[in-house]
Amino acid sequence: MSGGLDSAVCAAAAVAEGHEVIGLCFDWMQPARREERQAATAQAERLNIRLHTMRSYVHADKSMHAAPGESGPRVVPGRNLVFLALAANFGAERDVAEIRIGCTAADAADYRDCRADFIEALSALSPVPISAPLVALHRDEVRRTAVALGVDLSEVWSCYAPRERGVPCGACNSCLQ
Ligand SMILES: [Zn+2]
């Protein structure tokens, strides 16, 4: 759970289906880590699920170098691959039945590791099956699903690089979506 809309919807849908859910929140020293964790915590509390923070390091010197307020995607190569590998290890140790990631159709163009074929291929190799239930949904469909599931949109944080603490930049890809 990144605090963003997609993972919030993914978690809310799993809870609505009656699953016992553990949210994973990654702290990889990203610029928005505080805001993301705060939003994810609020979402997890609302869903009454446990949130587990995982510290990891992802090399992102090149991809995240854009300044706050600068446009464009922040494509960190293999970021979700790293996160899913860590989630697979965590899940296998805890006899988790499935790992779910909130990739959507909006991610497919820029993020290789958000595409359906990538998730399927990785799932086949993982000790715990991986699925991306929102992978075919476009932005408006994700929003509609969010509303239907009672996700509080005021609790969502999406910006990659806040201008200052708690203030979205308004220009990065995530803000513009
Ligand atoms: Zn932004």
Side-chain angles (χ1 to χ4, degrees):
M1 295 176 75
S2 68
L5 182 64
D6 303 340
S7 54
V9 169
C10 192
V15 170
E17 287 167 27
H19 298 294
E20 186 189 335
V21 176
I22 304 171
L24 292 184
C25 180
F26 288 91
D27 179 344
W28 51 285
M29 299 302 285
Q30 69 274 39
R33 64 186 176 281
R34 275 220 214 137
E35 289 83 356
E36 289 185 7
R37 191 163 167 191
Q38 202 179 355
T41 300
Q43 292 160 1
E45 278 173 8
R46 183 173 293 274
L47 291 171
N48 199 21
I49 61 171
R50 219 174 87 213
L51 186 71
H52 182 86
T53 299
M54 291 188 109
R55 289 202 169 73
S56 84
Y57 186 74
V58 177
H59 288 268
D61 306 338
K62 225 165 55 176
S63 30
M64 296 296 284
H65 84 284
E70 221 170 285
S71 65
R74 308 290 197 272
V75 182
V76 180
R79 195 195 63 176
N80 287 345
L81 177 60
V82 172
F83 292 171
L84 287 168
L86 290 169
N89 164 251
F90 176 92
E93 280 282 320
R94 284 160 185 78
D95 297 319
V96 162
E98 190 182 41
I99 295 161
R100 293 188 180 186
I101 182 167
C103 302
T104 73
D107 302 318
D110 290 322
Y111 308 96
R112 175 76 192 87
D113 52 1
C114 280
R115 294 180 199 154
D117 62 342
F118 181 92
I119 302 296
E120 272 167 41
L122 193 61
S123 180
L125 300 169
S126 169
V128 181
I130 303 168
S131 75
L134 315 180
V135 78
L137 298 191
H138 292 274
R139 200 101 303 253
D140 54 331
E141 294 168 311
V142 174
R143 277 184 199 282
R144 276 204 299 276
T145 310
V147 171
L149 289 168
V151 174
D152 186 340
L153 298 177
S154 73
E155 280 173 1
V156 167
W157 175 269
S158 298
C159 178
Y160 286 119
R163 269 183 207 285
E164 52 191 90
R165 284 280 148 240
V167 183
C169 78
C172 74
N173 261 35
S174 202
C175 278
L176 294 177
Q177 280 178 5

